[in-house]
Amino acid sequence: MAPRKFTPSPKSTLPFKTGNREKRQKLHIIRKKALDNTRRDERFQRRREEDKDPSLREERLRRNIPLTLERKRVWDDVDADTGDGLGVSVDIERLKRQKLEEEKQLEVDEHRSSQDEAVEASGSDNDRDSMIDSASDSNDPSMIPRKPLPRHKSSTERATSPTQSTTSTNLDLTPSALAVRFPTLFSTPPAAPKTLITTSLNSTLHVEGQLLTTLFPNSVYIPRSAHRHSHKYSVREIASFATNRAYTALLVLKEDQKKPTGLTFVHLPDGPTFHFSISNWVEGKKLPGHGRPTDHHPELILNNFRTPLGLLTAHLFRTVFPPQPDFEGRQVVTLHNQRDYIFLRRHRYIFREKRQTEKSVIGADGKEVKGVEGIRAGLQELGPRFTMKLRRIDKGIQRASGQEWEWKGGMEKQRTKFQL
């Protein structure tokens, strides 16, 4: 026997409460079941209609975009010339595209003005000839008004794209003023990295320091002595020591309650110094189905660094990884920026045949990528994984941290404005 379908009475939809507790509970259950049945019928009816007309499903999915912070992201309204722009939240790629469009439009206007001047010069000689020329010009396809250039989406509309947060960073769009301000970070070609890794004073993170040597190629871990009679070397003294031995970067791992809480990047020989906070540290052996890393140089993926400060941070990470990876190792390190949090992951990949239950590879335009219909990439995480957030950039290498800084976080109180 089919279950009886509950239908809400007129009183059940009214916002009132009866004095009897049992009747109030029954009324609530009846109303809830009736509403659930109504929503279920609407859902099945919508599915039947979308099966008949797939365009309805596409339209519904296009409109049902979740309202996230990335969709609400706002940018600073600045001109094309922003200088180094460390404290400015502006999309460098959008400014570059806007500048190219303005130059193209200026060329079109100059071409039209030159044609108008030529027509006026020929018209001053003879009125009849000018009438003939004007008639011929009207039939000339070059004089037909061109259609306006397509309107590009604003920064807020572009952020609504589901693939915008996974856009690879274009390091060629670095502002020239930023390259002049930090010439050692933007040297081409970049020098071969050689990294010295150490910890804060009296630290116990020796295992985590050794793990970082497997993450950053050509790196060495030297623990800072905790002996009571030993000399407490400062970061400036360690940087001088590392510079004399041809190191290109110094990493200082900080701890709190025997857990990693910070990571300081010192670009040698003269700075700058980047201070990051660390959260959600997970070792590779604690990851389910993890693999063992090898000594091959990994590939580097930098995602969604769009502002001048983001490009500066991306160039910093580029200097601690070799420019030429070992492809036979099939290892890749991903630094993904989202809402100013940098997620670091390391994987080993393998190309295999696509299973029947798996979907095809979808490109940035939302369509299937041609030529790889039967190929999928399998990933195995190697670890460690953690999340970083940029807190401050200091000038050079200072005796005490925070004396003079290039950029300092926490000064922007608007949640919808991001710095990277």
Side-chain angles (χ1 to χ4, degrees), residues 86 153-154 182 222 226 243 261:
L86 286 185
K153 296 181 179 180
S154 64
F182 304 97
I222 300 180
T243 302
T261 58

Side-chain angles (χ1 to χ4, degrees), residues 141-417:
S142 62
M143 295 300 296
I144 298 177
R146 299 185 180 182
K147 295 182 179 180
L149 295 175
R151 185 185 69 86
H152 287 268
K153 296 181 179 180
S154 64
S155 58
T156 307
E157 292 175 346
R158 292 178 70 248
T160 61
S161 174
T163 59
Q164 188 61 37
S165 61
T166 59
T167 302
S168 181
T169 303
N170 188 1
L171 298 178
D172 296 333
L173 300 178
T174 304
S176 58
L178 198 63
V180 172
R181 189 172 179 179
F182 304 97
T184 56
L185 284 176
F186 298 92
S187 59
T188 52
K194 185 180 179 183
T195 308
L196 175 63
I197 302 176
T198 186
T199 59
S200 56
L201 288 172
N202 303 327
S203 177
T204 60
L205 301 180
H206 303 296
V207 176
E208 288 77 1
Q210 291 289 348
L211 287 177
L212 290 180
T213 59
T214 64
L215 179 63
F216 298 101
N218 302 329
S219 59
V220 178
Y221 171 68
I222 300 180
R224 296 174 77 172
S225 176
H227 194 270
R228 59 181 299 182
H229 298 295
S230 63
H231 178 70
K232 309 300 182 184
Y233 288 95
S234 65
V235 174
R236 193 169 186 176
E237 292 174 334
I238 298 175
S240 177
F241 167 88
T243 302
N244 296 334
R245 286 156 182 79
Y247 286 95
T248 60
L250 170 64
L251 270 65
V252 182
L253 184 63
K254 300 180 181 180
E255 74 163 317
D256 184 22
Q257 298 181 354
K258 298 185 179 182
K259 295 181 180 180
T261 58
L263 191 61
T264 300
F265 284 80
V266 182
H267 184 70
L268 301 177
D270 301 322
T273 304
F274 291 73
H275 299 271
F276 295 90
S277 61
I278 291 181
S279 60
N280 302 329
W281 175 284
V282 181
E283 298 180 6
K285 63 181 182 181
K286 295 183 179 180
L287 298 173
H290 69 89
R292 292 186 177 181
T294 59
D295 295 334
H296 297 90
H297 295 170
E299 305 172 44
L300 181 63
I301 297 178
L302 300 170
N303 277 345
N304 207 27
F305 294 91
R306 304 165 65 181
T307 64
L309 181 62
L311 291 176
L312 179 65
T313 308
H315 276 277
L316 170 71
F317 292 122
R318 186 197 63 163
T319 58
V320 294
F321 287 93
Q324 184 61 36
D326 297 332
F327 294 103
E328 60 270 14
R330 295 181 287 107
Q331 294 184 159
V332 56
V333 174
T334 305
L335 290 161
H336 174 74
N337 170 48
Q338 187 171 358
R339 303 181 186 178
D340 287 350
Y341 288 93
I342 303 174
F343 300 90
L344 188 143
R345 301 290 186 270
R346 177 169 57 163
H347 296 86
R348 180 182 290 115
Y349 62 88
I350 184 172
F351 296 106
R352 56 175 175 78
E353 295 183 357
K354 184 176 75 68
R355 303 186 183 98
Q356 294 182 355
T357 57
E358 294 177 337
K359 297 181 180 180
S360 300
V361 180
I362 304 299
D365 54 354
K367 301 180 180 179
E368 297 184 3
V369 180
K370 302 296 183 182
V372 292
E373 291 82 357
I375 301 177
R376 291 303 299 270
L379 295 178
Q380 182 185 35
E381 190 167 359
L382 306 179
R385 65 158 65 169
F386 52 91
T387 305
M388 296 183 293
K389 186 176 179 63
L390 182 61
R391 298 298 181 179
R392 191 176 66 253
I393 302 178
D394 291 340
K395 292 183 178 180
I397 306 172
Q398 303 176 12
R399 294 184 180 273
S401 177
Q403 291 178 341
E404 297 181 5
W405 42 269
E406 301 279 1
W407 177 85
K408 187 177 181 180
M411 304 181 68
E412 180 58 54
K413 302 302 181 183
Q414 191 174 359
R415 292 188 60 195
T416 55
K417 184 178 294 186

Side-chain angles (χ1 to χ4, degrees), residues 53 105 381:
D53 189 3
Q105 186 65 29
E381 190 167 359

